[in-house]
Amino acid sequence: MVSIVRTLRDHTDEVSCCAFSSALLASCSGDKTLRVYHTSDLSELPFSPLSSHGYRVHCCCFSSCGRFLVSCSTDGSAIVWNSDTGERSAALQHPSRSPLRVCALAHDCAHLLAGACDGTVALWDFTVYVLCRCSAVSEDSVVACCFSPSNQMFVTGCTRGDLKLWDLDVNLLHAEKDAHDLGVTCCSFAAQFNVGVLICVATAGCVVNSSPGVCLSSTSGCVMKLLHTLTAQSAPVLSCAFSSDGELVVSGYVTAVALSPTMPWIATGSMDRTVTVWRIGDGDDTTERKLPGHSRLLLADWSEEDVQNWLSEEGLEELVSIFKTNNIDGPELNQMSKETAAELGIDGYSYERESIQSWIRGKNKTSPMTNLPLQTTLLTPNRSLKTAIARWKSSQ
């Protein structure tokens, strides 16, 4: 059951995007502004509206910690705002000043991505606001993009309907031509790897059954496979989003949709210039979904406990005691080298799985590369290397 919490009528032009942080709701519009509200009572913040863009604001998104709000516009700029004060932290310009249609922040806040009308994507190092590269990814406007949960890949969608998977060097890993024959309008990764990517269609002509809907795809290495086509809607799907836990998918014939990571709320934006907040369930908001502490912070701000909780969530419980003994916190984890990992008894090198398993079965408790003792024999897959090998093989 879904019911309306409130309808916000502050924009003077159609709403193009909505976004939640753990404590705030933001919306942007063709009126060149962003509006920011407290989720506690949906009151507008004192510094709202934000109005530094010269033309229509197409997209906005929060950093995973909620500290930053990013927006992009037809004026060719992406602006980084301090979500506590409303002050501009940075203004990033597309090299050719092409209008920017969509923007996305990596979950670790290391990179900012923006798709442009000239078919390029601009990728910035978000930690220092420096442009890493600007590359052509399509002959048509890039209107959808999102980072994978691993932060090592991103997806782009264009008005032609092509869907493409890229690494951070903007090397093409996989392409789905005409994934939606009349255009991809939105894409969103789920929080878990096994759920994959959610892509919206612009109009009739979906991959499976030629009707409006959304497609769920999964990615493994650089392979993308269609899982489901959702066709309950009778009109073109313009927007879609996963919940933060990956358990819910919301799509609609509205210009924007977003789900709160902490409240049972959906926000939708529309051409009628309104933002509507909806409640999921029986109306009881007292049971908020609390984010893990580290999920609200940048890696550099993680405490020792945050690092240990993250290791447990990733199935690396055997490393918790090692990290705890050595007082490894976020900054140290962020700067950890192979040499440091080796000192901790973590190998840090990559091997063929069968070979290293054979080495361990032979009762070898040292690293094959450094000959130092191993504190754990836990193996973790090197997905980046696997992707690079697959790309090299496909080029031969």
Side-chain angles (χ1 to χ4, degrees):
M1 183 176 69
V2 178
S3 57
I4 292 178
V5 176
R6 188 175 302 176
T7 298
L8 307 171
R9 306 179 186 277
D10 299 308
H11 284 295
T12 59
D13 203 340
E14 68 179 59
V15 177
S16 49
C17 188
C18 299
F20 276 107
S21 71
S22 59
L24 301 175
L25 166 64
S27 60
C28 59
S29 166
D31 64 11
K32 309 176 190 178
T33 71
L34 295 92
R35 300 268 178 176
V36 188
Y37 306 87
H38 284 289
T39 53
S40 58
D41 57 4
L42 292 177
S43 61
E44 192 166 10
L45 270 63
F47 57 73
S48 180
L50 305 175
S51 54
S52 288
H53 284 292
Y55 294 95
R56 170 185 295 272
V57 186
H58 287 284
C59 186
C60 62
C61 59
F62 282 101
S63 62
S64 57
C65 63
R67 188 177 302 169
F68 302 104
L69 173 64
V70 179
S71 58
C72 67
S73 166
T74 301
D75 62 17
S77 70
I79 296 180
V80 182
W81 311 86
N82 183 312
S83 59
D84 293 325
T85 64
E87 296 177 349
R88 290 200 329 175
S89 298
L92 310 174
Q93 194 73 40
H94 186 278
S96 64
R97 297 185 178 273
S98 178
L100 297 179
R101 296 290 304 274
V102 65
C103 58
L105 266 171
H107 306 283
D108 61 1
C109 295
H111 294 95
L112 169 65
L113 182 70
C117 285
D118 64 359
T120 63
V121 292
L123 185 69
W124 287 275
D125 183 330
F126 192 68
T127 61
V128 291
Y129 303 134
V130 172
L131 183 69
C132 298
R133 52 187 53 84
C134 183
S135 304
V137 298
S138 173
E139 296 179 357
D140 302 273
S141 294
V142 179
V143 293
C145 67
C146 61
F147 281 96
S148 69
S150 69
N151 305 301
Q152 300 303 308
M153 299 180 290
F154 63 87
V155 168
T156 59
C158 69
T159 52
R160 181 188 293 268
D162 297 341
L163 182 69
K164 297 178 180 179
L165 182 68
W166 310 84
D167 65 15
L168 293 182
D169 292 322
V170 198
N171 295 311
L172 182 63
L173 304 178
H174 185 82
E176 288 288 333
K177 287 190 65 67
D178 299 320
H180 298 293
D181 59 359
L182 294 181
V184 174
T185 57
C186 186
C187 63
S188 174
F189 261 103
Q192 290 103 10
F193 283 101
N194 61 343
V195 177
V197 187
L198 170 65
I199 300 94
C200 283
V201 297
T203 185
C206 192
V207 174
V208 174
N209 58 4
S210 299
S211 65
V214 297
C215 290
L216 289 169
S217 305
S218 68
T219 59
S220 176
C222 56
V223 176
M224 190 175 296
K225 181 179 66 175
L226 180 66
L227 295 181
H228 306 289
T229 300
L230 312 179
T231 58
Q233 293 184 241
S234 58
V237 179
L238 302 180
S239 55
C240 64
F242 274 108
S243 60
S244 59
D245 56 12
E247 294 183 359
L248 296 177
V249 175
V250 176
S251 62
Y253 178 49
V254 287
T255 53
V257 64
L259 289 96
S260 168
T262 55
M263 304 285 287
W265 285 1
I266 302 169
T268 59
S270 178
M271 295 178 187
D272 67 2
R273 301 175 291 184
T274 66
V275 175
T276 301
V277 179
W278 308 78
R279 179 184 292 110
I280 305 170
D282 57 8
D284 181 10
D285 290 342
T286 58
T287 55
E288 295 186 7
R289 291 183 295 166
K290 295 296 184 182
L291 289 173
H294 64 268
S295 296
R296 300 191 296 269
L297 302 171
L298 297 174
L299 178 58
D301 296 327
W302 284 13
S303 65
E304 293 178 27
E305 184 180 359
D306 291 331
V307 172
Q308 293 159 25
N309 289 338
W310 170 73
L311 288 170
S312 297
E313 290 175 7
E314 294 296 318
L316 304 175
E317 289 86 353
E318 293 184 34
L319 299 180
V320 170
S321 60
I322 299 173
F323 278 62
K324 185 175 182 179
T325 300
N326 290 274
N327 304 112
I328 304 297
D329 59 11
E332 290 184 77
L333 178 63
N334 198 32
Q335 300 296 323
M336 186 174 292
S337 64
K338 286 187 175 180
E339 289 74 18
T340 303
E343 291 175 5
L344 295 174
I346 304 168
D347 183 275
Y349 290 91
S350 297
Y351 306 94
E352 186 180 35
R353 179 179 290 275
E354 290 185 4
S355 297
I356 190 62
Q357 286 176 335
S358 176
W359 174 272
I360 293 170
R361 283 196 300 269
K363 298 184 179 180
N364 292 292
K365 299 301 180 182
T366 58
S367 165
M369 293 294 293
T370 66
N371 210 33
L372 293 172
L374 293 174
Q375 299 299 318
T376 177
T377 56
L378 181 68
L379 302 178
T380 56
N382 187 334
R383 295 185 178 88
S384 298
L385 179 59
K386 181 179 179 180
T387 298
I389 293 171
R391 187 169 62 245
W392 178 83
K393 289 174 66 178
S394 65
S395 67
Q396 300 306 304

